[in-house]
Amino acid sequence: MTPDQQDVYEPPQNIIDDAWIQDWRAVEAAAAADPQGYWAERASELQWSHPWDKVLDDSEAPFYKWFTGARTNIVSNAIDRHLTTARRNKLALIWVGEDTSKVRTFSYFSLNREVEQMANILKAMGVEKGDVVTIYLPRIPEIFFAMLAAAKIGAVHSVIFAGYSSEALSTRIDDSESKVVITADGSWVNGKVFPLKKIVDEAVRFSPTVENVIVVRNTETPVTMDSVRDHWYHELARLPIAKGHCPTVQVDAEDPLFILYTSGSTGKPKAILHTHGGYQVGTYTTLRYSFDIKEEDRWWCTADPGWITGHSYLVYGPLLNGATVLMAEGNPTYPYPDIWWQLIEHYGVTGFYTAPTAIRTLMRFGDAWVTKHDLSSLRLLGSVGEPINPEAWRWFHHVVGGDRCPIIDTWWQTETGMFQITTVPTMDQKPGSAGRPVFGQQAAVVDEAGDEVPVGTEGFLVLRNPWPAMMRTLFKDPERYRQTYWAKYPGLYLTGDSARQDEDGYFWIIGRTDDVIKVSGHRLGTAEVESALVSHPAVVEAAVIGLPHDVKGNSIHCSVILANGFSPSKELEEELRNHVAETLSPIAKPDGFDFPEKLPKTRSGKIMRRVLRARALGQDEGDLSTLENS
Ligand code: WT7
């Protein structure tokens, strides 16, 4: 047993008494004995306009299908079914601007009105079932409306984080062949305007597919409008076509709901595809029975809808559970590092789900910023995106949660759609461990050959069972889906993470085993950063690695071979940093640089990142026998 495993926090009795699932061991055992039965029961808690023939169809594995033959629409369950109950007048969404005096609230009834209006407009523009709608919006209510409106009419949404550059945006728009883009004039970032519309203009200038751009007025900053292509949303909303009831189209359970681009080992982002039926069951179930969300909860997930966490646990999961969601436009330290605690106090937040990097950032400002607020409304805390270090865990538990609130650490991925490994609130919590597989799932740690390693040994984390909210494929690239996730160990889903398991069956995630790094919880491919670097005239070749960082988890370190006529300088580093921010995204801004004569490569030409890491950290470079020219 390693020392950290002895640090155990027992669940408070009141949490156990009120929990949906008081005896998690019993549910875990029952679901393990009959996973499909477990998922069928959960699915029956939602509405389907036609029942399924089969819970799981694995006849074309790894292209698994769930609830085949069923008809439904996630919007029927996220909105429509609440309208015939008392929830109709319940708050669905509370939105708070970066300027916190700006607040907009929507009951389920009024959320529905907004979604119908956006859906009517999309239909009038000719958007049909299966068409991809690109959404490039900041954290404003319209991002909820846009996602739900697309889903309502059977279209497929593709949300692009509103911090990506025009180049990244145009690649994704072209890849998905979107005809419509929904954006805003700008977004507020720490008191300044980030020019979204301008970025869209550059991104769609040569687009062969985009016919219409819908622009939400948000920052009220001047923008250029193309008289044919561009439309103000508030003007469209006044037209007769926007008015009236818009029925929710019933689709096949396996029809696509959205694609979401995420980073992989190569420079080309992967378009993860999720479907209506399984995804609604998975996100509904995990938020309810793993996170223990309740009718009376005020739920705040700080993630941006541009990422999977925002999709699953800011937009869909909470609405599927009929909860009240808070969405904040601003960042955690603007204008002061207690803005989040102020919002929790003011709005009586009960469930607070955020990322370790944010916790570490806020922790650095000291306890006083937290303790001056009354956070007694909090019941449950959650963590996602990267391993949470025990120190940050304890601070979150003690200072923010007042020692009352279990921390639900949730390990999952864009690909998995829903939690896969978590500490449910009635379970003992171990700071730094993501816990146990969700009900119905089995995880394992295996070696290179696919054999399970002994307890306490590090290895590759794999998942054994298919699950309803799993991605179905990579959009337009099924072969890459099979290769990336299912080829190494047939029948096992390869997560790309390393982990170890302890003797209580808890999993301890160590990190990625591929060329993906998590920087402030954001997922980046080193290849993406490298290709941004080599697009600068000073750079001939670049190799990017992640180095440990106290707040960000990983920092981005670049080894750069300069072109003739360029020499290393602080100015050049700053220029390269800005170049990456502009060509990829500010979230990918490199931290450190070195400028070697050549990169360490194997004889077959593969960059030895292990050597770069050792050099950057001033450590022993280890075995160099495979190095070319060694
Ligand atoms: C990768 C997936 C899933 C929502 C956000 C990230 C890392 C995620 C945890 C956690 C340790 C975690 C893994 C995973 N990760 N959650 N609780 N503990 N590591 O989704 O951007 O697709 O990234 O994030 O490395 O593979 P994503």
Side-chain angles (χ1 to χ4, degrees):
M1 202 191 217
T2 50
D4 47 0
Q5 287 168 23
Q6 290 162 357
D7 190 12
V8 173
Y9 290 63
E10 286 174 11
Q13 195 55 45
N14 65 313
I15 293 279
I16 300 178
D17 291 345
D18 293 344
W20 282 118
I21 293 187
Q22 293 173 349
D23 183 358
W24 61 263
R25 286 182 185 81
V27 178
E28 188 183 89
D34 179 14
Q36 291 184 41
Y38 173 77
W39 287 117
E41 265 179 46
R42 301 290 74 75
S44 328
E45 294 170 22
L46 296 174
Q47 283 182 3
W48 306 76
S49 51
H50 189 273
W52 54 87
D53 309 319
K54 247 183 147 173
V55 177
L56 170 67
D57 176 354
D58 56 5
S59 58
E60 288 165 52
F63 299 94
Y64 295 95
K65 296 192 188 81
W66 285 84
F67 309 110
T68 50
R71 296 193 74 77
T72 187
N73 185 309
I74 197 166
V75 176
S76 302
N77 282 304
I79 300 180
D80 303 353
R81 72 183 176 118
H82 307 316
L83 301 178
T84 55
T85 70
R87 282 189 191 140
R88 168 192 173 95
N89 296 321
K90 177 179 176 178
L91 281 184
L93 173 64
I94 305 172
W95 174 82
V96 189
E98 183 174 277
D99 166 358
T100 52
S101 68
K102 284 197 213 151
V103 176
R104 295 166 70 191
T105 57
F106 302 87
S107 64
Y108 274 92
F109 180 84
S110 56
L111 174 64
N112 181 54
R113 282 272 186 267
E114 301 283 352
V115 173
E116 290 196 313
Q117 175 176 294
M118 182 81 85
N120 283 330
I121 291 170
L122 289 175
K123 272 209 295 202
M125 283 180 174
V127 175
E128 289 174 2
K129 181 165 179 267
D131 287 349
V132 178
V133 174
T134 295
I135 301 172
Y136 185 68
L137 283 170
R139 285 191 298 275
I140 56 175
E142 283 76 10
I143 196 164
F144 269 67
F145 311 158
M147 291 167 71
L148 292 158
K152 188 176 178 71
I153 60 173
V156 179
H157 57 71
S158 167
V159 181
I160 316 291
F161 174 63
Y164 271 118
S165 68
S166 60
E167 214 172 300
L169 177 60
S170 82
T171 314
R172 289 158 175 78
I173 291 173
D174 290 352
D175 184 71
S176 65
E177 299 172 50
S178 265
K179 287 190 284 187
V180 179
V181 178
I182 308 177
T183 190
D185 45 2
S187 63
W188 289 110
V189 181
N190 302 339
K192 296 198 189 72
V193 173
F194 186 73
L196 297 175
K197 174 62 168 64
K198 196 166 149 257
I199 292 170
V200 171
D201 289 343
E202 287 162 24
V204 304
R205 186 172 305 146
F206 303 111
S207 160
T209 55
V210 174
E211 293 162 6
N212 292 292
V213 175
I214 302 176
V215 188
V216 175
R217 194 159 67 188
N218 183 43
T219 49
E220 306 197 14
T221 37
V223 294
T224 320
M225 297 288 280
D226 179 295
S227 60
V228 179
R229 188 195 63 200
D230 300 345
H231 319 271
W232 284 108
Y233 183 60
H234 62 274
E235 288 176 2
L236 294 171
R238 284 200 292 263
L239 302 175
I241 49 126
K243 305 274 186 292
H245 175 58
C246 173
T248 303
V249 175
Q250 294 302 296
V251 298
D252 190 278
E254 281 294 308
D255 274 336
L257 167 62
F258 65 85
I259 54 176
L260 184 56
Y261 288 90
T262 190
S263 301
S265 304
T266 69
K268 191 176 183 290
K270 301 192 275 198
I272 308 291
L273 185 132
H274 285 283
T275 57
H276 277 261
Y279 181 79
Q280 66 178 358
V281 174
T283 52
Y284 160 82
T285 300
T286 44
L287 195 55
R288 191 180 186 87
Y289 299 117
S290 295
F291 219 116
D292 199 42
I293 198 170
K294 299 277 170 44
E295 188 69 50
E296 56 277 17
D297 273 316
R298 256 193 191 185
W299 172 256
W300 184 12
C301 162
T302 65
D304 192 282
W307 315 116
I308 192 68
T309 309
H311 280 60
S312 298
Y313 298 109
L314 174 64
V315 179
Y316 288 114
L319 298 181
L320 287 165
N321 279 285
T324 299
V325 189
L326 179 87
M327 177 166 68
E329 183 184 31
N331 287 327
T333 53
Y334 183 86
Y336 300 108
D338 65 338
I339 183 68
W340 277 9
W341 318 128
Q342 189 186 313
L343 293 180
I344 290 174
E345 175 173 18
H346 189 83
Y347 291 97
V349 171
T350 58
F352 181 60
Y353 186 40
T354 192
T357 185
I359 298 166
R360 290 191 295 261
T361 302
L362 294 169
M363 187 171 120
R364 296 206 148 193
F365 288 95
D367 298 1
W369 288 103
V370 191
T371 51
K372 73 176 183 187
H373 295 283
D374 172 8
L375 304 185
S376 58
S377 62
L378 285 174
R379 184 169 79 82
L380 299 167
L381 301 174
S383 174
V384 62
E386 51 175 321
I388 180 164
N389 48 310
E391 192 198 357
W393 195 102
R394 285 186 208 104
W395 184 82
F396 198 31
H397 187 259
H398 179 63
V399 181
V400 177
D403 299 317
R404 299 181 321 277
C405 313
I407 296 180
I408 294 97
D409 191 351
T410 59
W411 177 91
W412 57 295
Q413 310 176 302
T414 308
E415 291 87 339
T416 71
M418 61 182 233
F419 308 156
Q420 291 298 309
I421 298 180
T422 108
T423 40
V424 305
T426 49
M427 219 176 242
D428 286 354
Q429 325 263 305
K430 302 186 187 188
S433 166
R436 303 167 66 86
V438 293
F439 308 126
Q441 184 54 284
Q442 314 276 337
V445 180
V446 300
D447 61 17
E448 210 37 65
D451 297 321
E452 241 178 280
V453 300
V455 160
T457 312
E458 182 177 341
F460 300 101
L461 179 68
V462 295
L463 302 174
R464 288 197 184 283
N465 291 342
W467 61 99
M470 66 199 299
M471 87 186 116
R472 294 305 191 262
T473 188
L474 294 178
F475 183 61
K476 297 200 292 192
D477 204 351
E479 197 39 41
R480 189 176 176 195
Y481 164 76
R482 188 204 296 276
Q483 278 301 327
T484 312
Y485 304 100
W486 303 96
K488 185 161 179 169
Y489 311 116
L492 297 179
Y493 170 83
L494 183 70
T495 66
D497 279 21
S498 57
R500 62 191 158 79
Q501 198 178 6
D502 70 20
E503 47 218 15
D504 299 323
Y506 281 51
F507 286 84
W508 298 72
I509 310 296
I510 297 160
R512 300 285 310 189
T513 59
D514 52 8
D515 296 329
V516 169
I517 50 178
K518 300 293 305 242
V519 182
S520 298
H522 299 312
R523 174 166 163 179
L524 291 169
T526 51
E528 290 174 292
V529 184
E530 286 160 5
S531 61
L533 283 167
V534 295
S535 70
H536 189 281
V539 180
V540 174
E541 203 182 358
V544 168
I545 52 169
L547 294 179
H549 187 279
D550 282 352
V551 175
K552 301 202 246 184
N554 280 294
S555 64
I556 301 177
H557 184 84
C558 313
S559 300
V560 171
I561 309 290
L562 290 176
N564 278 337
F566 290 91
S567 48
S569 69
K570 289 286 153 214
E571 291 70 44
L572 181 62
E573 289 183 12
E574 197 49 31
E575 192 177 318
L576 293 177
R577 235 173 240 130
N578 292 332
H579 179 75
V580 174
E582 275 158 32
T583 46
L584 184 55
S585 166
I587 59 179
K589 231 178 175 180
D591 298 84
F593 285 90
D594 64 60
F595 299 95
E597 290 284 304
K598 57 160 73 166
L599 295 173
K601 289 186 187 165
T602 61
R603 276 175 213 118
S604 58
K606 209 172 174 313
I607 293 172
M608 295 176 79
R609 292 169 198 280
R610 164 179 76 73
V611 175
L612 290 173
R613 196 165 295 122
R615 281 184 194 166
L617 295 172
Q619 293 167 350
D620 177 29
E621 292 180 16
D623 178 10
L624 295 179
S625 56
T626 56
L627 193 66
E628 92 187 320
N629 307 325
S630 65

